Amino acid sequence: MSQEQAVCKTCRKPKAPFSCGLCEEPICKACTQFLGEDHFSFLRKIPKELTHTSYCYNCFDDHVANPLADYNETMEKAKDVYVFTKEQSKLTRLLKRVEPPYLVDNCEDRDEALLRLSFWAVQDKFNALIDVAFKSKKIIVGSHKKAVWEATGVAMNVNPKEIREE
């Protein structure tokens, strides 16, 4: 059966131009759940079932809805992570650096680099990043110039009341 004559798996309408990324059944636009290519981009390793851009309702509910909700919840928590830069090391000098530092690179801007570090810290059940440092690199391709950012930071759990301001 050609793609133009395919019948939608969900609503049974003819001419279903899309197919589910998981079950590969034909689906129409109205019955398709679309995900952008950048969804789940902050995960260190993206599971294969989450790499597709279109899903039928059944596959979306069974395989994507819960991981997407967890991802969004982690992203919200990442925005509330305590951040102490290298310049603030006087405040954190008494904290033990047990965990190895995180390193993110190839970020479009400084905010994205910090959010990636924070996201990873939340995934690993930490609430703070200390010794955060940023570096930018200029990349020139022909007449196009852009900066690529990298960041490092050590994740840990801190009680903000124990951090002394001096």
Side-chain angles (χ1 to χ4, degrees):
M1 191 180 265
S2 72
Q3 198 64 1
E4 293 176 15
Q5 297 172 346
V7 176
C8 178
K9 161 188 173 175
T10 307
C11 66
R12 310 305 298 160
K13 289 182 181 175
K15 296 185 180 178
F18 300 102
S19 64
C20 176
L22 291 176
C23 67
E24 298 179 1
E25 292 286 331
I27 44 179
C28 67
K29 185 175 182 178
C31 297
T32 303
Q33 291 285 324
F34 292 103
L35 279 183
E37 300 223 354
D38 59 343
H39 274 76
F40 303 108
S41 65
F42 280 43
L43 293 176
R44 290 174 231 181
K45 186 172 188 315
I46 302 172
K48 190 172 193 282
E49 66 262 6
L50 302 178
T51 59
H52 307 288
T53 57
S54 60
Y55 299 90
C56 66
Y57 286 128
N58 293 340
C59 291
F60 186 85
D61 290 342
D62 293 345
H63 301 284
V64 181
N66 288 337
L68 182 61
D70 293 343
Y71 180 84
N72 290 335
E73 181 182 334
T74 303
M75 187 63 74
E76 287 303 312
K77 287 180 182 176
K79 294 175 184 173
D80 294 331
V81 167
Y82 299 105
V83 177
F84 299 95
T85 62
K86 279 262 196 211
E87 291 80 28
Q88 295 172 305
S89 62
K90 193 172 187 181
L91 299 174
T92 62
R93 69 183 178 273
L94 300 176
L95 300 175
K96 287 189 177 183
R97 281 98 170 124
V98 177
E99 297 294 319
Y102 295 138
L103 169 68
V104 296
D105 55 1
N106 294 327
C107 297
E108 291 196 15
D109 58 20
R110 184 180 170 162
D111 293 336
E112 179 190 346
L114 180 60
L115 190 57
R116 283 187 187 278
L117 285 177
S118 300
F119 187 87
W120 291 357
V122 170
Q123 273 189 314
D124 293 340
K125 309 282 190 253
F126 295 109
N127 71 346
L129 289 166
I130 61 172
D131 298 337
V132 176
F134 299 97
K135 276 195 243 180
S136 68
K137 222 179 353 182
K138 287 185 182 176
I139 296 179
I140 301 172
V141 178
S143 63
H144 181 69
K145 298 177 186 177
K146 76 174 193 174
V148 175
W149 289 83
E150 86 175 28
T152 59
V154 178
M156 64 179 2
N157 283 312
V158 298
N159 182 350
K161 294 176 183 173
E162 293 176 1
I163 303 293
R164 292 192 350 215
E165 296 272 341
E166 291 182 22

